[in-house]
């Protein structure tokens, strides 16, 4: 019983003192293993991928002819930009939400990007 209490105190202390971004990255990386999704750092240009992560930012580019919506998905390893062309808003796509996405990895200015990905919203984040 005392060992269990020590383990709990150690985990609690770690959660209170470590960098929140680092803890979030570790938690996201662990959830990847549980679902079988691919890690962004392992994905290469041209591959068809399934990823899981949390949206760190969402923005709409509502220019009249080139409407698009962009979001940054972070899975604990690398960020991936998701771009929905022709959309100004997608219900449920908000900062902090967790998604499972599928699509083909591309490259935009040296960054990983998926255009018009298939997505599933995952429980409350």
């Amino acid at each position: 019983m005392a060992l269990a209490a020590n383990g709990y105190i150690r985990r609690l202390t770690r959660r209170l003192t470590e960098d929140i971004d680092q803890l979030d990255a570790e938690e996201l990386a662990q959830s990847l293993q549980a679902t079988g999704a691919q890690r962004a750092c392992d994905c290469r240009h041209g591959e068809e991928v399934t990823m899981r992560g949390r949206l760190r930012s969402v923005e709409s580019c509502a220019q009249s002819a080139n409407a698009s919506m962009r979001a940054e998905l972070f899975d604990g390893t690398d960020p991936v930009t998701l771009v929905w062309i022709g959309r100004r808003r997608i219900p449920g796509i908000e900062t902090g939400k967790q998604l499972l996405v599928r699509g083909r990895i591309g490259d935009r200015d040296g960054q990983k990007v998926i255009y018009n990905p298939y997505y599933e919203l995952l429980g409350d984040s």
Side-chain angles (χ1 to χ4, degrees):
M1 187 75 160
L3 289 176
N6 284 341
Y8 171 77
I9 292 170
R10 192 174 327 116
R11 286 189 307 274
L12 180 62
T13 302
R14 180 172 177 249
R15 281 194 137 333
L16 293 173
T17 59
E18 275 202 28
D19 180 33
I20 290 188
D21 290 335
Q22 178 64 30
L23 290 172
D24 189 43
E26 288 174 13
E27 181 182 316
L28 287 169
Q30 287 174 355
S31 71
L32 289 178
Q33 292 174 352
T35 62
Q38 294 161 276
R39 297 179 334 156
C41 66
D42 295 335
C43 297
R44 302 289 171 246
H45 183 271
E47 290 181 336
E48 188 77 26
V49 298
T50 299
M51 296 179 177
R52 176 186 174 143
R54 181 172 289 122
L55 295 177
R56 291 205 288 193
S57 66
V58 176
E59 64 182 55
S60 179
C61 302
Q63 298 170 356
S64 59
N66 299 326
S68 66
M69 187 170 158
R70 274 184 276 202
E72 182 182 278
L73 182 79
F74 183 67
D75 72 348
T77 62
D78 271 347
V80 175
T81 302
L82 308 175
V83 179
W84 288 273
I85 298 170
R87 302 293 299 264
R88 294 180 186 182
R89 184 174 186 289
I90 301 173
I93 301 295
E94 301 167 357
T95 301
K97 294 289 186 173
Q98 287 198 33
L99 296 179
L100 180 72
V101 298
R102 283 190 285 255
R104 187 167 306 278
I105 289 282
D107 182 82
R108 182 181 191 181
D109 300 325
Q111 302 295 315
K112 293 176 182 171
V113 64
I114 301 176
Y115 290 96
N116 295 322
Y118 167 82
Y119 68 94
E120 290 178 35
L121 293 169
L122 302 174
D124 291 330
S125 305

